[in-house]
Amino acid sequence: MQANGNQGGGGGSGGETPSAGAQNGDVMGRDASQAEPGEEPISNSTTGGGGGGAGSGSAFSPSSQSQGPAGHSNGLPPPPSSSSSSAAATTTTISLVPGSGAMNPEQTSLKKKKRLSQGEEDVIRLIGQHLHGLGLNQTVDLLMQESGCRLEHPSATKFRNHVMEGEWEKAENDLNELKSLVHSPHVIVKMKFLLLQQKYLEYLEDGKVLEALQVLRCELTPLKYNTERIHILSGYLMCSHTDDLRAKAEWEGKGTASRSKLLDKLQMYLPPSVMLPPRRLQTLLRQAVELQRDRCLYHNTKLDSNLDSMSLLVDHVCSRKQFPCYTQQILTEHCNEVWFCKFSNDGTKLATGSKDTTVIIWQVDSDTHQLRLLKTLEGHAYGVSYLAWSPDDNYLLACGPDDCSELWLWNVQTGELRTKMSQSHEDSLTSVAWNPDGKRFVTGGQRGQFYQCSARGPSYNVVHSFEEWKVSLVKCCDSDHKVYIWHKRSELPIAELTGHTRTVNCVSWNPQVPSMMASASDDGTVRIWGPAPFLDNQESEEACSSMDS
């Protein structure tokens, strides 16, 4: 038990008699019997309020800890034997006068600090790693000291420091110490390769070409690992300047940034008992947040990996009032069945295709989310049953029903028909999709024709054609005139939207405004759905019929 030489936050001088000090002797700090070999017992003057400093300033060496032959489960050495120093023995066997109200040695042994469970140690290590990342190193030192835990293995601490300081030979020697702590010898080869790769690149950046060549020939190549990567590294010898090297190697350059990234890669090969994976606490919290979002029936916004996007203090719950199940606007400009609708990739426009032979482009107001007619594209003799926006939203491809052999390519900005494709009157071009590069597209139908086309220039060019590849057009429709919304993970219907009076043919969610959705119907209308505009519970319930049960 430690004597309390600092009652009330003084400087650590300890102006009490031994008996008085011993009354509070086990309030703070470790029992002296838990001190490291050769370590002086810690008095409260070093862990208390004012004068005594708590930490050495190094988050990874809270004390002179070492791994003994039979260490504690958290990596600490076992308590010293009875042959410990007389100073430590004196501290732990203070005799107290009977009847003074103080505890005798037998009583104090019952008050020894409870041994932490593995889970408790893990939590302390995770908190310590996070605090270290914030630069609160003295706080980490004190946390490790008071808990008796160790943030990471001493060999791992040395390895970390040598990597960050660019002392590559010492870092390689550290790998030999870590060899007995990893699961496979092959892991050490991978780690050494990563170290030498960084060493090689830093030599090149410094203009030390001969030293870099020496690393490549005499250190990297003999590892006989990832020879393809070695060939790529050898090509960097031809880089004429630093910027060229960084660009080709996709490397941040010599310094803290690249070494930190290297260390993150190296940590993944070490057991967590030796060195925690990088930013482990943040990873666990992010997983918890994502799990809550996945389980939330009404969460339909993009997943934001930033933990600041939502509170960690309460469980995540989305209100049904925020869900797009209320009709905000009805578009009636089409004069026949509306077969298709699709928002642009940037969410600022909506295209609708109809049996009335037209495509209408609607503009979405960024503030009110109301739509207004922007352009009408006419001339589709068979009607329009499918639409596809180009990746940059400058062009729109339009297809017809099963008996249509034509495909239209429109310039959305000018409203002009760029080209009309018709290979054969026997074709059925009912579906189309853009290549992500925006320069090519593929189209096909139910009669077996399939074409890959280039959209360069004023016309199109068929690059490849295939036969007997049938493309079936799957429509999102329901004959009961309702729109059903399903949860993609739980596979449960969570809402049904009413309002259309005939079959619903298509539904499109705005990719940039998750609370906006459009539906097209044979009743000749397009409905725009959004969250309930009022906070009144009864109105919200009427607008959206929940199907959670």
Side-chain angles (χ1 to χ4, degrees):
M1 184 183 69
Q2 298 172 10
N4 186 349
N6 179 22
Q7 186 173 14
S13 60
E16 300 176 350
T17 64
S19 294
Q23 293 179 15
N24 298 319
D26 65 342
V27 174
M28 299 183 65
R30 288 181 299 178
D31 192 311
S33 64
Q34 293 177 298
E36 302 289 353
E39 178 188 16
E40 290 296 326
I42 303 172
S43 72
N44 227 19
S45 62
T46 62
T47 59
S56 62
S58 169
F60 300 97
S61 53
S63 60
S64 56
Q65 299 162 341
S66 61
Q67 182 76 25
H72 187 274
S73 63
N74 62 12
L76 293 173
S81 64
S82 59
S83 60
S84 301
S85 65
S86 59
T90 302
T91 306
T92 58
T93 58
I94 293 175
S95 298
L96 303 175
V97 179
S100 64
M103 294 179 291
N104 59 34
E106 289 75 14
Q107 290 173 311
T108 59
S109 65
L110 299 175
K111 303 292 287 184
K112 284 184 179 180
K113 185 172 59 181
K114 172 189 172 184
R115 179 174 177 177
L116 298 175
S117 67
Q118 186 62 53
E120 290 170 333
E121 290 181 8
D122 290 346
V123 171
I124 289 173
R125 292 181 65 204
L126 290 172
I127 294 173
Q129 184 193 46
H130 184 67
L131 293 175
H132 171 70
L134 298 176
L136 304 177
N137 295 338
Q138 290 188 355
T139 304
V140 177
D141 287 343
L142 184 58
L143 176 62
M144 296 299 122
Q145 190 178 69
E146 290 192 20
S147 65
C149 296
R150 183 171 60 191
L151 190 57
E152 59 186 18
H153 195 281
S155 297
T157 300
K158 287 195 303 180
F159 181 62
R160 174 192 298 277
N161 293 336
H162 291 152
V163 169
M164 293 306 298
E165 293 164 6
E167 298 183 355
W168 306 118
E169 291 184 6
K170 293 182 179 179
E172 288 182 56
N173 292 333
D174 297 333
L175 283 179
N176 294 327
E177 296 182 23
L178 294 170
K179 187 179 297 184
S180 61
L181 302 175
V182 299
H183 302 302
S184 169
H186 190 59
V187 166
I188 298 296
V189 175
K190 294 180 179 179
M191 296 177 69
K192 189 172 183 179
F193 185 90
L194 292 173
L195 278 178
L196 293 175
Q197 178 179 255
Q198 178 79 11
K199 179 181 177 182
Y200 168 77
L201 292 173
E202 290 195 7
Y203 273 148
L204 284 181
E205 184 174 285
D206 290 339
K208 299 178 180 179
V209 180
L210 293 179
E211 288 86 343
L213 190 58
Q214 181 76 5
V215 171
L216 189 67
R217 288 179 175 176
C218 304
E219 298 183 62
L220 278 167
T221 303
L223 291 177
K224 297 180 180 179
Y225 173 77
N226 202 346
T227 54
E228 182 180 351
R229 178 61 179 168
I230 290 177
H231 290 316
I232 295 174
L233 292 173
S234 64
Y236 299 155
L237 289 166
M238 306 303 295
C239 293
S240 56
H241 50 79
T242 299
D243 292 339
D244 188 26
L245 172 66
R246 293 184 178 183
K248 289 183 177 179
E250 297 180 353
W251 180 60
E252 293 81 358
K254 178 180 178 180
T256 303
S258 63
R259 291 173 183 174
S260 295
K261 184 174 288 188
L262 168 64
L263 194 60
D264 285 350
K265 294 179 181 178
L266 294 168
Q267 283 179 266
M268 302 306 296
Y269 292 106
L270 294 173
S273 59
V274 177
M275 180 184 283
L276 288 172
R279 295 170 292 279
R280 182 59 182 163
L281 181 60
Q282 293 96 314
T283 299
L284 292 174
L285 291 174
R286 189 174 297 113
Q287 290 173 353
V289 166
E290 291 176 358
L291 180 62
Q292 288 191 24
R293 285 170 169 166
D294 287 344
R295 291 179 175 177
C296 178
L297 287 178
Y298 299 105
H299 186 87
N300 68 330
T301 59
K302 291 183 177 179
L303 290 180
D304 189 348
S305 60
N306 186 357
L307 291 177
D308 295 332
S309 64
M310 62 184 299
S311 174
L312 299 176
L313 305 181
V314 295
D315 289 343
H316 173 75
V317 178
C318 286
S319 169
R320 190 169 58 211
K321 299 175 187 177
Q322 303 167 318
F323 210 65
C325 53
Y326 183 90
T327 300
Q328 290 189 327
Q329 190 176 2
I330 303 176
L331 310 178
T332 59
E333 276 72 6
H334 284 293
C335 57
N336 208 326
E337 300 172 357
V338 185
W339 289 342
F340 200 81
C341 61
K342 183 70 174 177
F343 279 103
S344 59
N345 299 294
D346 62 7
T348 63
K349 297 178 181 67
L350 174 70
T352 57
S354 171
K355 185 179 180 180
D356 66 7
T357 73
T358 69
V359 172
I360 298 181
I361 307 297
W362 309 84
Q363 182 72 47
V364 179
D365 188 284
S366 59
D367 296 323
T368 65
H369 293 171
Q370 291 290 300
L371 278 70
R372 63 177 179 85
L373 192 152
L374 185 63
K375 289 184 176 68
T376 300
L377 313 178
E378 300 176 336
H380 305 83
Y382 297 87
V384 178
S385 62
Y386 198 86
L387 296 164
W389 291 88
S390 63
D392 60 6
D393 292 328
N394 288 329
Y395 295 95
L396 187 69
L397 285 166
C399 297
D402 293 344
D403 55 348
C404 178
S405 61
E406 299 177 336
L407 179 145
W408 295 265
L409 175 59
W410 293 92
N411 185 320
V412 178
Q413 305 299 323
T414 63
E416 296 177 352
L417 179 64
R418 176 173 168 180
T419 187
K420 183 167 68 172
M421 172 181 173
S422 180
Q423 288 294 103
S424 168
H425 292 295
E426 299 298 322
D427 287 347
S428 171
L429 304 182
T430 58
S431 184
V432 65
W434 286 90
N435 189 286
D437 63 10
K439 299 176 181 177
R440 291 168 293 169
F441 61 87
V442 291
T443 183
Q446 294 184 349
R447 297 179 184 173
Q449 301 86 0
F450 186 78
Y451 301 103
Q452 181 178 13
C453 306
S454 171
R456 294 180 179 179
S459 184
Y460 71 93
N461 179 37
V462 176
V463 179
H464 296 290
S465 62
F466 308 90
E467 297 291 334
E468 304 304 327
W469 283 40
K470 294 185 178 181
V471 179
S472 297
L473 181 57
V474 180
K475 290 187 178 181
C476 176
C477 61
D478 198 288
S479 58
D480 66 0
H481 318 155
K482 297 178 182 178
V483 175
Y484 291 89
I485 301 178
W486 299 71
H487 194 278
K488 66 178 182 180
R489 294 192 183 274
S490 66
E491 299 182 358
L492 295 173
I494 59 176
E496 62 177 30
L497 315 184
T498 60
H500 285 295
T501 58
R502 293 183 63 189
T503 299
V504 179
N505 295 311
C506 184
V507 175
S508 177
W509 219 301
N510 191 313
Q512 302 302 323
V513 186
S515 60
M516 174 181 285
M517 188 173 63
S519 61
S521 169
D522 280 352
D523 62 12
T525 69
V526 176
R527 283 183 175 254
I528 306 300
W529 306 88
F534 310 106
L535 297 180
D536 182 79
N537 289 335
Q538 184 175 355
E539 280 193 68
S540 179
E541 295 292 334
E542 292 174 355
C544 177
S545 302
S546 172
M547 298 183 68
D548 327 275
S549 58

